[in-house]
């Protein structure tokens, strides 16, 4: 598998959060956000390059070079938020990071304006509004729409206030209203434009997702009869293979020996154990069994640990649809890939005071760069739908831990 592999099972089966809870595009479509992350990286590099070039071009109008240097340092902080804060290794993107990114750009604007001399033309010499607007727009996929609108409006107000103070101190011929409009226009349009784009994507995703869930439900209903028939056929096959020959032999001989009683008891116990096991099997055990071909196969001598899925408290059923879909896709990726040893993979779900912790262990058979690039999209999704994802690698052992809430 390559780094660009996209698990097609992730979106259709997941159900978007319902209700009035604000949801970011990163939560609705983690892989889509990951594919669009280069835009945030480019924006982070662009605002730093743009502010540096504009400061250099207007060096003659700068009265306080120290303030300009501090302004550029603030731009560096905003750039780091865009480049590093949006990394899938740090998902999900928090409101605090959003505030730091936009706040740093506003501080940069204030410092750059204060660094200009009285005779400087603020309309041509100030690069701050474009930096603030670009930062707001580049962060649109990572936060809810309401927050994007609120932050955009607040940033516009602060930008206008900074421009008003600057216009009052400078000797420029432009009226204060022109200076204010010139400053807030890029911030307001770019921030609200990013929020509108995020809202459109969220609505389209939720609409498509609801239709996919409806189609999946209809498909399950159509398959119910065939699945029941398949299960019945499996039971008939077992009976024809083991029980029917025993009864035929008893009918032919006309006597029941102690050995026949032992065989009958053995077949009865096997059938009963099989039926109880399948009834109690969780969705995760079914996914692992279908992906790897078996739930057991280990040989450490302890039957309790000779299973790929260890869930003594039956906590797998507490996962949400998003979490189930993300974990299902990751299991399938590991089962079909060649970066990990299939025979060494096992999952354990342990109860914690706050919920449950999933521990995934495997032996790596490829280079570190290979498995990291191949599994990066899946780690990105798991970081969004679960909490506290930790990846521990001590060659050749790989252990992944993440948690989720339980009722």
């Amino acid at each position: 598998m390559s780094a660009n592999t996209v698990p097609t099972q992730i979106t259709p089966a997941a159900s978007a959060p319902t209700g009035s809870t604000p949801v970011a595009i990163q939560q609705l479509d983690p892989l889509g956000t990951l594919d669009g992350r280069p835009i945030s990286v480019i924006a982070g590099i662009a605002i730093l390059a743009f502010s540096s070039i504009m400061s250099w071009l207007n060096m003659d109008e700068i009265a306080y070079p120290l303030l300009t240097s501090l302004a550029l340092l603030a731009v560096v902080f905003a750039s780091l938020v865009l480049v590093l804060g949006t990394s899938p290794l740090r998902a999900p993107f928090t409101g605090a990071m959003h505030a730091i990114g936009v706040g740093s750009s506003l501080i940069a604007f204030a410092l750059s304006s204060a660094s200009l001399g009285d005779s400087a033309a603020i309309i041509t010499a100030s690069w701050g509004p474009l930096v603030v607007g670009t930062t707001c727009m580049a962060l649109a996929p990572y936060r809810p729409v309401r927050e994007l609108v609120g932050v955009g409006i607040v940033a516009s107000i602060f930008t206008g206030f900074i421009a008003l103070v600057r216009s009052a101190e400078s000797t420029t011929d432009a009226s204060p209203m022109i200076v204010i409009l010139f400053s807030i226009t890029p911030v307001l349009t770019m921030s609200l434009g990013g929020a509108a784009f995020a809202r459109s994507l969220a609505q389209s995703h939720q609409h498509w997702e609801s239709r996919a869930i409806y189609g999946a439900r209809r498909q399950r209903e159509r398959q119910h009869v065939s699945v029941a028939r398949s299960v019945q056929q499996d039971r008939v096959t077992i009976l024809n293979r083991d029980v029917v020959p025993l009864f035929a032999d008893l009918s032919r001989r006309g006597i029941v020996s102690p050995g026949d009683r032992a065989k009958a008891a053995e077949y009865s116990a096997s059938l009963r154990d099989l039926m109880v096991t399948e009834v109690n099997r969780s969705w995760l055990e079914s996914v692992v069994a279908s992906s790897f071909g078996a739930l057991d196969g280990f040989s450490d001598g302890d039957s309790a640990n000779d299973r790929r899925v260890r869930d003594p408290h039956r906590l797998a059923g507490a996962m949400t649809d998003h979490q189930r879909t993300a974990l299902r896709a990751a299991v399938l990726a590991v089962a079909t890939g060649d970066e990990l040893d299939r025979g060494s993979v096992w999952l354990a779900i342990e109860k914690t005071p706050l919920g449950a912790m999933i521990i995934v262990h495997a032996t790596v058979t490829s280079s570190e760069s290979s498995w990291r690039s191949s599994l990066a999209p899946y780690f990105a999704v798991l970081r969004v739908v679960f909490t506290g994802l930790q990846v521990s690698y001590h060659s050749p052992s790989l252990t992944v831990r993440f948690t989720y809430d339980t009722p």
Side-chain angles (χ1 to χ4, degrees), residues 106 109 128-134 136 151-157 159 182-193:
L106 287 171
F109 176 38
L130 283 177
V131 170
V132 177
T134 302
C136 292
V151 170
I153 293 175
V154 171
S156 300
I157 294 174
T159 302
F182 174 82
S183 299
I184 68 172
T185 296
V187 178
L188 196 61
T189 55
M190 297 177 79
S191 60
L192 296 185

Side-chain angles (χ1 to χ4, degrees), residues 102-266:
V102 178
S104 298
S105 63
L106 287 171
I107 293 174
F109 176 38
L111 292 172
S112 66
S113 298
S115 68
L116 298 175
D118 294 340
S119 61
I122 187 173
I123 293 182
T124 58
S126 181
W127 40 260
L130 283 177
V131 170
V132 177
T134 302
T135 303
C136 292
M137 184 177 63
L139 295 177
Y142 303 96
R143 297 303 301 164
V145 174
R146 294 179 184 176
E147 181 178 317
L148 295 174
V149 173
V151 170
I153 293 175
V154 171
S156 300
I157 294 174
F158 272 93
T159 302
F161 175 76
I162 295 171
L164 178 62
V165 172
R166 175 59 192 163
S167 66
E169 295 178 350
S170 66
T171 58
T172 179
D173 295 333
S175 67
M177 185 58 63
I178 296 298
V179 174
I180 293 174
L181 289 177
F182 174 82
S183 299
I184 68 172
T185 296
V187 178
L188 196 61
T189 55
M190 297 177 79
S191 60
L192 296 185
F197 178 72
R199 180 175 181 271
S200 176
L201 286 181
Q203 289 181 338
S204 299
H205 182 89
Q206 290 174 333
H207 176 69
W208 177 86
E209 193 174 47
S210 63
R211 294 185 62 182
I213 293 174
Y214 175 76
R217 186 181 300 114
R218 292 289 301 273
Q219 182 66 19
R220 285 196 301 268
E221 294 174 354
R222 288 193 293 266
Q223 291 179 344
H224 180 75
V225 176
S226 61
V227 171
R229 186 181 300 112
S230 176
V231 173
Q232 182 183 14
Q233 185 62 39
D234 290 341
R235 302 294 177 269
V236 172
T237 301
I238 295 174
L239 292 174
N240 289 336
R241 185 188 63 195
D242 298 327
V243 179
V244 172
L246 176 62
F247 283 172
D249 187 46
L250 291 175
S251 177
R252 180 178 55 82
R253 290 189 284 110
I255 59 173
V256 179
S257 65
D260 296 331
R261 294 190 182 94
K263 285 185 178 181
E266 180 183 353

Side-chain angles (χ1 to χ4, degrees), residues 58-404:
N58 295 279
M59 188 64 68
D60 295 338
E61 298 183 349
I62 294 177
Y64 307 99
L66 177 60
L67 294 180
T68 300
S69 300
L70 293 176
L72 293 177
L73 181 61
V75 176
V76 170
F77 276 100
S79 299
L80 290 176
V81 171
L82 291 173
V83 176
L84 300 180
T86 58
S87 170
L89 299 178
R90 295 172 177 81
F93 189 82
T94 62
M97 292 297 294
H98 189 198
I100 292 174
V102 178
S104 298
S105 63
L106 287 171
I107 293 174
F109 176 38
L111 292 172
S112 66
S113 298
S115 68
L116 298 175
D118 294 340
S119 61
I122 187 173
I123 293 182
T124 58
S126 181
W127 40 260
L130 283 177
V131 170
V132 177
T134 302
T135 303
C136 292
M137 184 177 63
L139 295 177
Y142 303 96
R143 297 303 301 164
V145 174
R146 294 179 184 176
E147 181 178 317
L148 295 174
V149 173
V151 170
I153 293 175
V154 171
S156 300
I157 294 174
F158 272 93
T159 302
F161 175 76
I162 295 171
L164 178 62
V165 172
R166 175 59 192 163
S167 66
E169 295 178 350
S170 66
T171 58
T172 179
D173 295 333
S175 67
M177 185 58 63
I178 296 298
V179 174
I180 293 174
L181 289 177
F182 174 82
S183 299
I184 68 172
T185 296
V187 178
L188 196 61
T189 55
M190 297 177 79
S191 60
L192 296 185
F197 178 72
R199 180 175 181 271
S200 176
L201 286 181
Q203 289 181 338
S204 299
H205 182 89
Q206 290 174 333
H207 176 69
W208 177 86
E209 193 174 47
S210 63
R211 294 185 62 182
I213 293 174
Y214 175 76
R217 186 181 300 114
R218 292 289 301 273
Q219 182 66 19
R220 285 196 301 268
E221 294 174 354
R222 288 193 293 266
Q223 291 179 344
H224 180 75
V225 176
S226 61
V227 171
R229 186 181 300 112
S230 176
V231 173
Q232 182 183 14
Q233 185 62 39
D234 290 341
R235 302 294 177 269
V236 172
T237 301
I238 295 174
L239 292 174
N240 289 336
R241 185 188 63 195
D242 298 327
V243 179
V244 172
L246 176 62
F247 283 172
D249 187 46
L250 291 175
S251 177
R252 180 178 55 82
R253 290 189 284 110
I255 59 173
V256 179
S257 65
D260 296 331
R261 294 190 182 94
K263 285 185 178 181
E266 180 183 353
Y267 295 155
S268 176
S270 298
L271 285 171
R272 182 170 57 253
D273 291 343
L274 179 61
M275 295 177 67
V276 171
T277 299
E278 292 193 352
V279 168
N280 293 330
R281 177 179 292 181
S282 67
W283 69 269
L284 182 57
E285 290 174 319
S286 299
V287 168
V288 172
S290 62
S291 300
F292 289 90
L295 285 172
D296 50 20
F298 297 96
S299 58
D300 56 12
D302 186 356
S303 60
N305 292 326
D306 288 348
R307 299 181 61 82
R308 292 189 184 275
V309 179
R310 307 166 190 175
D311 186 12
H313 301 287
R314 315 302 295 174
L315 299 175
M319 296 184 202
T320 64
D321 289 341
H322 270 92
Q323 292 168 343
R324 295 187 183 196
T325 306
L327 187 55
R328 182 184 296 112
V331 168
L332 183 60
V334 171
T336 57
D338 55 1
E339 289 81 12
L340 306 179
D341 179 13
R342 288 167 48 93
S344 66
V345 179
W346 56 262
L347 299 87
I349 305 181
E350 300 177 353
K351 190 173 182 60
T352 65
L354 300 178
M357 173 182 288
I358 302 178
I359 302 174
V360 183
H361 177 82
T363 299
V364 177
T365 58
S366 61
S367 64
E368 182 174 358
S369 60
S370 176
W371 70 260
R372 284 190 181 276
S373 62
S374 297
L375 298 180
Y378 303 95
F379 286 158
V381 176
L382 292 175
R383 286 183 185 277
V384 173
V385 299
F386 291 97
T387 56
L389 187 141
Q390 299 177 356
V391 179
S392 177
Y393 176 58
H394 301 285
S395 181
S397 179
L398 173 65
T399 303
V400 181
R401 293 180 174 86
F402 44 93
T403 60
Y404 63 97

